[in-house]
PDB file of all heavy atoms in Angstrom:
ATOM      1  N   ARG A   6     -76.639  34.347-178.517  1.00  0.00           N
ATOM      2  CA  ARG A   6     -75.354  35.162-178.911  1.00  0.00           C
ATOM      3  C   ARG A   6     -75.623  36.531-179.515  1.00  0.00           C
ATOM      4  O   ARG A   6     -76.619  36.794-180.195  1.00  0.00           O
ATOM      5  CB  ARG A   6     -74.591  34.335-180.025  1.00  0.00           C
ATOM      6  CG  ARG A   6     -73.335  34.810-180.253  1.00  0.00           C
ATOM      7  CD  ARG A   6     -72.481  33.835-181.119  1.00  0.00           C
ATOM      8  NE  ARG A   6     -72.083  32.599-180.437  1.00  0.00           N
ATOM      9  CZ  ARG A   6     -71.793  31.475-181.129  1.00  0.00           C
ATOM     10  NH1 ARG A   6     -71.958  31.280-182.333  1.00  0.00           N
ATOM     11  NH2 ARG A   6     -71.354  30.452-180.397  1.00  0.00           N
ATOM     12  N   ILE A   7     -74.655  37.405-179.106  1.00  0.00           N
ATOM     13  CA  ILE A   7     -74.904  38.838-179.502  1.00  0.00           C
ATOM     14  C   ILE A   7     -73.520  39.323-180.313  1.00  0.00           C
ATOM     15  O   ILE A   7     -72.515  38.834-179.912  1.00  0.00           O
ATOM     16  CB  ILE A   7     -74.809  39.707-178.154  1.00  0.00           C
ATOM     17  CG1 ILE A   7     -76.142  39.501-177.429  1.00  0.00           C
ATOM     18  CG2 ILE A   7     -74.675  41.153-178.596  1.00  0.00           C
ATOM     19  CD1 ILE A   7     -77.331  40.340-177.704  1.00  0.00           C
ATOM     20  N   LEU A   8     -73.722  40.055-181.317  1.00  0.00           N
ATOM     21  CA  LEU A   8     -72.718  40.499-181.958  1.00  0.00           C
ATOM     22  C   LEU A   8     -72.959  42.103-182.308  1.00  0.00           C
ATOM     23  O   LEU A   8     -73.965  42.464-182.684  1.00  0.00           O
ATOM     24  CB  LEU A   8     -72.440  39.799-183.296  1.00  0.00           C
ATOM     25  CG  LEU A   8     -71.292  40.123-184.334  1.00  0.00           C
ATOM     26  CD1 LEU A   8     -71.790  41.449-185.117  1.00  0.00           C
ATOM     27  CD2 LEU A   8     -69.969  40.261-183.891  1.00  0.00           C
ATOM     28  N   SER A   9     -71.875  42.823-182.176  1.00  0.00           N
ATOM     29  CA  SER A   9     -71.949  44.248-182.661  1.00  0.00           C
ATOM     30  C   SER A   9     -70.564  44.835-183.011  1.00  0.00           C
ATOM     31  O   SER A   9     -69.613  44.266-182.493  1.00  0.00           O
ATOM     32  CB  SER A   9     -72.805  45.146-181.757  1.00  0.00           C
ATOM     33  OG  SER A   9     -73.251  46.251-182.471  1.00  0.00           O
ATOM     34  N   GLY A  10     -70.549  45.926-183.624  1.00  0.00           N
ATOM     35  CA  GLY A  10     -69.348  46.514-184.074  1.00  0.00           C
ATOM     36  C   GLY A  10     -69.383  48.071-183.969  1.00  0.00           C
ATOM     37  O   GLY A  10     -70.497  48.658-183.974  1.00  0.00           O
ATOM     38  N   TRP A  29     -74.132  47.311-174.750  1.00  0.00           N
ATOM     39  CA  TRP A  29     -73.232  46.209-174.879  1.00  0.00           C
ATOM     40  C   TRP A  29     -72.805  45.684-173.585  1.00  0.00           C
ATOM     41  O   TRP A  29     -72.742  44.520-173.240  1.00  0.00           O
ATOM     42  CB  TRP A  29     -72.114  46.563-175.798  1.00  0.00           C
ATOM     43  CG  TRP A  29     -72.332  46.911-177.225  1.00  0.00           C
ATOM     44  CD1 TRP A  29     -73.583  47.025-177.857  1.00  0.00           C
ATOM     45  CD2 TRP A  29     -71.368  47.222-178.123  1.00  0.00           C
ATOM     46  NE1 TRP A  29     -73.393  47.560-179.168  1.00  0.00           N
ATOM     47  CE2 TRP A  29     -71.996  47.716-179.327  1.00  0.00           C
ATOM     48  CE3 TRP A  29     -69.962  47.468-178.084  1.00  0.00           C
ATOM     49  CZ2 TRP A  29     -71.305  48.110-180.554  1.00  0.00           C
ATOM     50  CZ3 TRP A  29     -69.314  47.857-179.307  1.00  0.00           C
ATOM     51  CH2 TRP A  29     -69.975  48.265-180.338  1.00  0.00           C
ATOM     52  N   ASP A  37     -73.746  35.498-174.716  1.00  0.00           N
ATOM     53  CA  ASP A  37     -72.449  35.301-175.303  1.00  0.00           C
ATOM     54  C   ASP A  37     -72.103  36.386-176.211  1.00  0.00           C
ATOM     55  O   ASP A  37     -72.650  36.309-177.313  1.00  0.00           O
ATOM     56  CB  ASP A  37     -72.529  33.856-175.893  1.00  0.00           C
ATOM     57  CG  ASP A  37     -71.193  33.291-176.484  1.00  0.00           C
ATOM     58  OD1 ASP A  37     -70.256  33.914-176.023  1.00  0.00           O
ATOM     59  OD2 ASP A  37     -71.279  32.525-177.389  1.00  0.00           O
ATOM     60  N   CYS A  38     -71.234  37.287-175.859  1.00  0.00           N
ATOM     61  CA  CYS A  38     -71.115  38.518-176.760  1.00  0.00           C
ATOM     62  C   CYS A  38     -69.861  38.578-177.401  1.00  0.00           C
ATOM     63  O   CYS A  38     -68.704  38.369-176.951  1.00  0.00           O
ATOM     64  CB  CYS A  38     -71.216  39.671-175.692  1.00  0.00           C
ATOM     65  SG  CYS A  38     -72.819  39.872-175.021  1.00  0.00           S
ATOM     66  N   PHE A  39     -69.965  39.025-178.639  1.00  0.00           N
ATOM     67  CA  PHE A  39     -68.823  39.390-179.535  1.00  0.00           C
ATOM     68  C   PHE A  39     -68.832  40.822-179.969  1.00  0.00           C
ATOM     69  O   PHE A  39     -69.968  41.299-180.567  1.00  0.00           O
ATOM     70  CB  PHE A  39     -68.856  38.388-180.786  1.00  0.00           C
ATOM     71  CG  PHE A  39     -68.633  37.006-180.531  1.00  0.00           C
ATOM     72  CD1 PHE A  39     -69.721  36.283-179.881  1.00  0.00           C
ATOM     73  CD2 PHE A  39     -67.410  36.435-180.855  1.00  0.00           C
ATOM     74  CE1 PHE A  39     -69.434  34.763-179.719  1.00  0.00           C
ATOM     75  CE2 PHE A  39     -67.229  35.134-180.589  1.00  0.00           C
ATOM     76  CZ  PHE A  39     -68.261  34.386-179.966  1.00  0.00           C
ATOM     77  N   PHE A  40     -67.844  41.549-179.761  1.00  0.00           N
ATOM     78  CA  PHE A  40     -67.801  43.071-180.067  1.00  0.00           C
ATOM     79  C   PHE A  40     -66.499  43.323-180.826  1.00  0.00           C
ATOM     80  O   PHE A  40     -65.479  42.790-180.505  1.00  0.00           O
ATOM     81  CB  PHE A  40     -67.799  43.891-178.958  1.00  0.00           C
ATOM     82  CG  PHE A  40     -69.139  43.720-178.136  1.00  0.00           C
ATOM     83  CD1 PHE A  40     -69.084  43.224-176.831  1.00  0.00           C
ATOM     84  CD2 PHE A  40     -70.406  44.022-178.688  1.00  0.00           C
ATOM     85  CE1 PHE A  40     -70.234  43.068-176.006  1.00  0.00           C
ATOM     86  CE2 PHE A  40     -71.549  43.876-177.917  1.00  0.00           C
ATOM     87  CZ  PHE A  40     -71.520  43.385-176.671  1.00  0.00           C
ATOM     88  N   MET A  41     -66.540  44.108-181.905  1.00  0.00           N
ATOM     89  CA  MET A  41     -65.455  44.355-182.689  1.00  0.00           C
ATOM     90  C   MET A  41     -65.197  45.743-183.151  1.00  0.00           C
ATOM     91  O   MET A  41     -66.170  46.450-183.245  1.00  0.00           O
ATOM     92  CB  MET A  41     -65.431  43.409-183.885  1.00  0.00           C
ATOM     93  CG  MET A  41     -66.640  43.729-184.770  1.00  0.00           C
ATOM     94  SD  MET A  41     -66.785  42.751-186.175  1.00  0.00           S
ATOM     95  CE  MET A  41     -68.408  43.220-186.699  1.00  0.00           C
ATOM     96  N   VAL A  43     -64.510  47.732-186.419  1.00  0.00           N
ATOM     97  CA  VAL A  43     -64.805  47.261-187.842  1.00  0.00           C
ATOM     98  C   VAL A  43     -63.795  48.149-188.654  1.00  0.00           C
ATOM     99  O   VAL A  43     -64.165  49.035-189.457  1.00  0.00           O
ATOM    100  CB  VAL A  43     -66.160  47.491-188.226  1.00  0.00           C
ATOM    101  CG1 VAL A  43     -67.008  46.464-187.471  1.00  0.00           C
ATOM    102  CG2 VAL A  43     -66.724  48.855-188.118  1.00  0.00           C
ATOM    103  N   THR A  79     -66.090  38.674-175.920  1.00  0.00           N
ATOM    104  CA  THR A  79     -64.986  38.559-176.821  1.00  0.00           C
ATOM    105  C   THR A  79     -64.910  39.832-177.742  1.00  0.00           C
ATOM    106  O   THR A  79     -65.801  40.233-178.291  1.00  0.00           O
ATOM    107  CB  THR A  79     -65.343  37.384-177.830  1.00  0.00           C
ATOM    108  OG1 THR A  79     -65.601  36.187-177.070  1.00  0.00           O
ATOM    109  CG2 THR A  79     -64.218  37.009-178.851  1.00  0.00           C
ATOM    110  N   PHE A  81     -62.478  42.083-180.336  1.00  0.00           N
ATOM    111  CA  PHE A  81     -61.432  41.896-181.362  1.00  0.00           C
ATOM    112  C   PHE A  81     -61.512  42.921-182.461  1.00  0.00           C
ATOM    113  O   PHE A  81     -62.438  43.677-182.569  1.00  0.00           O
ATOM    114  CB  PHE A  81     -61.607  40.426-181.883  1.00  0.00           C
ATOM    115  CG  PHE A  81     -62.958  40.111-182.569  1.00  0.00           C
ATOM    116  CD1 PHE A  81     -63.002  40.310-183.950  1.00  0.00           C
ATOM    117  CD2 PHE A  81     -63.951  39.882-181.892  1.00  0.00           C
ATOM    118  CE1 PHE A  81     -64.238  39.963-184.646  1.00  0.00           C
ATOM    119  CE2 PHE A  81     -65.258  39.568-182.635  1.00  0.00           C
ATOM    120  CZ  PHE A  81     -65.337  39.693-183.957  1.00  0.00           C
ATOM    121  N   HIS A  89     -64.661  36.794-191.894  1.00  0.00           N
ATOM    122  CA  HIS A  89     -65.759  37.705-192.237  1.00  0.00           C
ATOM    123  C   HIS A  89     -65.750  38.098-193.739  1.00  0.00           C
ATOM    124  O   HIS A  89     -66.728  38.110-194.334  1.00  0.00           O
ATOM    125  CB  HIS A  89     -65.444  39.084-191.488  1.00  0.00           C
ATOM    126  CG  HIS A  89     -65.747  39.030-190.057  1.00  0.00           C
ATOM    127  ND1 HIS A  89     -66.409  40.023-189.315  1.00  0.00           N
ATOM    128  CD2 HIS A  89     -65.255  38.132-189.142  1.00  0.00           C
ATOM    129  CE1 HIS A  89     -66.492  39.598-188.005  1.00  0.00           C
ATOM    130  NE2 HIS A  89     -65.720  38.548-187.866  1.00  0.00           N
ATOM    131  N   MET A 133     -71.303  43.797-193.474  1.00  0.00           N
ATOM    132  CA  MET A 133     -71.989  43.941-192.051  1.00  0.00           C
ATOM    133  C   MET A 133     -72.809  42.654-191.833  1.00  0.00           C
ATOM    134  O   MET A 133     -72.873  42.069-190.762  1.00  0.00           O
ATOM    135  CB  MET A 133     -72.800  45.137-191.969  1.00  0.00           C
ATOM    136  CG  MET A 133     -73.504  45.433-190.704  1.00  0.00           C
ATOM    137  SD  MET A 133     -73.881  47.097-190.395  1.00  0.00           S
ATOM    138  CE  MET A 133     -75.173  46.954-189.186  1.00  0.00           C
ATOM    139  N   ALA A 134     -73.532  42.228-192.871  1.00  0.00           N
ATOM    140  CA  ALA A 134     -74.383  40.931-192.702  1.00  0.00           C
ATOM    141  C   ALA A 134     -73.469  39.771-192.412  1.00  0.00           C
ATOM    142  O   ALA A 134     -73.739  38.986-191.450  1.00  0.00           O
ATOM    143  CB  ALA A 134     -75.069  40.745-194.046  1.00  0.00           C
ATOM    144  N   ALA A 135     -72.292  39.761-193.129  1.00  0.00           N
ATOM    145  CA  ALA A 135     -71.381  38.627-192.887  1.00  0.00           C
ATOM    146  C   ALA A 135     -70.804  38.641-191.449  1.00  0.00           C
ATOM    147  O   ALA A 135     -70.739  37.606-190.812  1.00  0.00           O
ATOM    148  CB  ALA A 135     -70.196  38.760-193.889  1.00  0.00           C
ATOM    149  N   ASP A 136     -70.462  39.861-190.890  1.00  0.00           N
ATOM    150  CA  ASP A 136     -70.107  40.117-189.576  1.00  0.00           C
ATOM    151  C   ASP A 136     -70.979  39.382-188.574  1.00  0.00           C
ATOM    152  O   ASP A 136     -70.624  38.757-187.565  1.00  0.00           O
ATOM    153  CB  ASP A 136     -70.020  41.673-189.178  1.00  0.00           C
ATOM    154  CG  ASP A 136     -69.016  42.442-189.882  1.00  0.00           C
ATOM    155  OD1 ASP A 136     -68.042  41.916-190.492  1.00  0.00           O
ATOM    156  OD2 ASP A 136     -69.267  43.688-189.958  1.00  0.00           O
ATOM    157  N   ILE A 137     -72.235  39.621-188.812  1.00  0.00           N
ATOM    158  CA  ILE A 137     -73.309  39.108-187.927  1.00  0.00           C
ATOM    159  C   ILE A 137     -73.632  37.600-188.089  1.00  0.00           C
ATOM    160  O   ILE A 137     -73.467  36.830-187.143  1.00  0.00           O
ATOM    161  CB  ILE A 137     -74.727  39.938-188.195  1.00  0.00           C
ATOM    162  CG1 ILE A 137     -74.535  41.448-187.991  1.00  0.00           C
ATOM    163  CG2 ILE A 137     -75.838  39.275-187.307  1.00  0.00           C
ATOM    164  CD1 ILE A 137     -75.594  42.367-188.476  1.00  0.00           C
ATOM    165  N   LEU A 138     -73.757  37.232-189.422  1.00  0.00           N
ATOM    166  CA  LEU A 138     -74.127  35.880-189.603  1.00  0.00           C
ATOM    167  C   LEU A 138     -72.876  34.840-189.379  1.00  0.00           C
ATOM    168  O   LEU A 138     -73.248  33.616-189.135  1.00  0.00           O
ATOM    169  CB  LEU A 138     -74.646  35.754-191.093  1.00  0.00           C
ATOM    170  CG  LEU A 138     -75.790  36.514-191.467  1.00  0.00           C
ATOM    171  CD1 LEU A 138     -76.366  36.374-192.931  1.00  0.00           C
ATOM    172  CD2 LEU A 138     -77.026  36.353-190.459  1.00  0.00           C
ATOM    173  N   VAL A 139     -71.772  35.296-189.580  1.00  0.00           N
ATOM    174  CA  VAL A 139     -70.650  34.387-189.240  1.00  0.00           C
ATOM    175  C   VAL A 139     -70.499  33.852-187.812  1.00  0.00           C
ATOM    176  O   VAL A 139     -69.974  32.869-187.559  1.00  0.00           O
ATOM    177  CB  VAL A 139     -69.245  35.043-189.745  1.00  0.00           C
ATOM    178  CG1 VAL A 139     -68.664  35.870-188.622  1.00  0.00           C
ATOM    179  CG2 VAL A 139     -68.357  33.964-190.242  1.00  0.00           C
ATOM    180  N   TYR A 140     -71.329  34.636-186.932  1.00  0.00           N
ATOM    181  CA  TYR A 140     -71.400  34.108-185.528  1.00  0.00           C
ATOM    182  C   TYR A 140     -72.753  33.572-185.383  1.00  0.00           C
ATOM    183  O   TYR A 140     -73.144  33.259-184.137  1.00  0.00           O
ATOM    184  CB  TYR A 140     -71.034  35.291-184.597  1.00  0.00           C
ATOM    185  CG  TYR A 140     -69.708  35.755-184.784  1.00  0.00           C
ATOM    186  CD1 TYR A 140     -69.418  36.851-185.566  1.00  0.00           C
ATOM    187  CD2 TYR A 140     -68.654  34.958-184.315  1.00  0.00           C
ATOM    188  CE1 TYR A 140     -68.140  37.300-185.848  1.00  0.00           C
ATOM    189  CE2 TYR A 140     -67.276  35.438-184.544  1.00  0.00           C
ATOM    190  CZ  TYR A 140     -67.118  36.480-185.284  1.00  0.00           C
ATOM    191  OH  TYR A 140     -65.774  36.941-185.581  1.00  0.00           O
ATOM    192  N   ARG A 141     -73.629  33.481-186.333  1.00  0.00           N
ATOM    193  CA  ARG A 141     -75.011  33.080-186.242  1.00  0.00           C
ATOM    194  C   ARG A 141     -75.664  33.763-185.031  1.00  0.00           C
ATOM    195  O   ARG A 141     -76.300  33.182-184.189  1.00  0.00           O
ATOM    196  CB  ARG A 141     -75.129  31.498-186.131  1.00  0.00           C
ATOM    197  CG  ARG A 141     -74.259  30.934-187.306  1.00  0.00           C
ATOM    198  CD  ARG A 141     -74.126  29.493-187.066  1.00  0.00           C
ATOM    199  NE  ARG A 141     -75.312  28.787-187.677  1.00  0.00           N
ATOM    200  CZ  ARG A 141     -75.682  27.484-187.466  1.00  0.00           C
ATOM    201  NH1 ARG A 141     -75.095  26.812-186.614  1.00  0.00           N
ATOM    202  NH2 ARG A 141     -76.703  27.029-188.213  1.00  0.00           N
ATOM    203  N   ALA A 142     -75.337  35.009-184.984  1.00  0.00           N
ATOM    204  CA  ALA A 142     -75.889  36.026-183.894  1.00  0.00           C
ATOM    205  C   ALA A 142     -77.392  35.980-183.725  1.00  0.00           C
ATOM    206  O   ALA A 142     -78.047  36.035-184.760  1.00  0.00           O
ATOM    207  CB  ALA A 142     -75.351  37.299-183.887  1.00  0.00           C
ATOM    208  N   ASP A 143     -77.885  35.910-182.585  1.00  0.00           N
ATOM    209  CA  ASP A 143     -79.420  35.938-182.438  1.00  0.00           C
ATOM    210  C   ASP A 143     -79.872  37.456-182.370  1.00  0.00           C
ATOM    211  O   ASP A 143     -80.956  37.719-182.807  1.00  0.00           O
ATOM    212  CB  ASP A 143     -79.829  35.389-181.018  1.00  0.00           C
ATOM    213  CG  ASP A 143     -79.411  33.910-180.965  1.00  0.00           C
ATOM    214  OD1 ASP A 143     -80.010  33.082-181.734  1.00  0.00           O
ATOM    215  OD2 ASP A 143     -78.442  33.523-180.287  1.00  0.00           O
ATOM    216  N   ALA A 144     -79.013  38.326-181.876  1.00  0.00           N
ATOM    217  CA  ALA A 144     -79.431  39.707-181.645  1.00  0.00           C
ATOM    218  C   ALA A 144     -78.161  40.709-181.840  1.00  0.00           C
ATOM    219  O   ALA A 144     -77.059  40.280-181.615  1.00  0.00           O
ATOM    220  CB  ALA A 144     -80.056  39.991-180.325  1.00  0.00           C
ATOM    221  N   VAL A 145     -78.519  41.836-182.243  1.00  0.00           N
ATOM    222  CA  VAL A 145     -77.502  42.900-182.596  1.00  0.00           C
ATOM    223  C   VAL A 145     -77.833  44.263-182.005  1.00  0.00           C
ATOM    224  O   VAL A 145     -78.846  44.825-182.403  1.00  0.00           O
ATOM    225  CB  VAL A 145     -77.281  43.107-184.087  1.00  0.00           C
ATOM    226  CG1 VAL A 145     -76.200  43.995-184.312  1.00  0.00           C
ATOM    227  CG2 VAL A 145     -77.147  41.686-184.824  1.00  0.00           C
ATOM    228  N   PRO A 146     -77.142  44.629-180.994  1.00  0.00           N
ATOM    229  CA  PRO A 146     -77.472  45.860-180.183  1.00  0.00           C
ATOM    230  C   PRO A 146     -76.839  47.075-181.018  1.00  0.00           C
ATOM    231  O   PRO A 146     -75.684  47.124-181.187  1.00  0.00           O
ATOM    232  CB  PRO A 146     -76.839  45.791-178.852  1.00  0.00           C
ATOM    233  CG  PRO A 146     -75.703  44.676-178.965  1.00  0.00           C
ATOM    234  CD  PRO A 146     -76.149  43.799-180.100  1.00  0.00           C
ATOM    235  N   VAL A 147     -77.807  47.899-181.498  1.00  0.00           N
ATOM    236  CA  VAL A 147     -77.267  49.000-182.354  1.00  0.00           C
ATOM    237  C   VAL A 147     -78.150  50.334-182.032  1.00  0.00           C
ATOM    238  O   VAL A 147     -79.154  50.192-181.377  1.00  0.00           O
ATOM    239  CB  VAL A 147     -77.440  48.770-183.899  1.00  0.00           C
ATOM    240  CG1 VAL A 147     -76.239  47.939-184.401  1.00  0.00           C
ATOM    241  CG2 VAL A 147     -78.779  48.195-184.148  1.00  0.00           C
ATOM    242  N   LEU A 155     -79.478  46.179-190.506  1.00  0.00           N
ATOM    243  CA  LEU A 155     -79.840  44.976-189.894  1.00  0.00           C
ATOM    244  C   LEU A 155     -81.039  44.249-190.533  1.00  0.00           C
ATOM    245  O   LEU A 155     -81.066  42.954-190.776  1.00  0.00           O
ATOM    246  CB  LEU A 155     -80.252  45.353-188.426  1.00  0.00           C
ATOM    247  CG  LEU A 155     -79.984  44.134-187.504  1.00  0.00           C
ATOM    248  CD1 LEU A 155     -78.494  43.787-187.562  1.00  0.00           C
ATOM    249  CD2 LEU A 155     -80.349  44.518-186.124  1.00  0.00           C
ATOM    250  N   PRO A 176     -81.164  37.773-187.301  1.00  0.00           N
ATOM    251  CA  PRO A 176     -80.754  38.485-186.119  1.00  0.00           C
ATOM    252  C   PRO A 176     -81.690  39.592-185.764  1.00  0.00           C
ATOM    253  O   PRO A 176     -82.129  40.367-186.729  1.00  0.00           O
ATOM    254  CB  PRO A 176     -79.322  39.017-186.503  1.00  0.00           C
ATOM    255  CG  PRO A 176     -79.443  39.042-188.026  1.00  0.00           C
ATOM    256  CD  PRO A 176     -80.263  37.936-188.436  1.00  0.00           C
ATOM    257  N   ALA A 177     -82.132  39.726-184.589  1.00  0.00           N
ATOM    258  CA  ALA A 177     -82.956  40.870-184.146  1.00  0.00           C
ATOM    259  C   ALA A 177     -82.141  42.052-183.723  1.00  0.00           C
ATOM    260  O   ALA A 177     -81.055  42.025-183.158  1.00  0.00           O
ATOM    261  CB  ALA A 177     -83.771  40.418-182.933  1.00  0.00           C
TER     262      ALA A 177
END
Side-chain angles (χ1 to χ4, degrees):
R6 192 169 285 155
I7 295 270
L8 172 287
S9 203
W29 300 358
D37 180 21
C38 291
F39 291 75
F40 299 116
M41 60 178 170
V43 297
T79 304
F81 61 98
H89 291 228
M133 182 159 158
D136 294 337
I137 299 166
L138 300 183
V139 85
Y140 299 98
R141 307 173 90 198
D143 300 289
V145 183
V147 284
L155 210 60

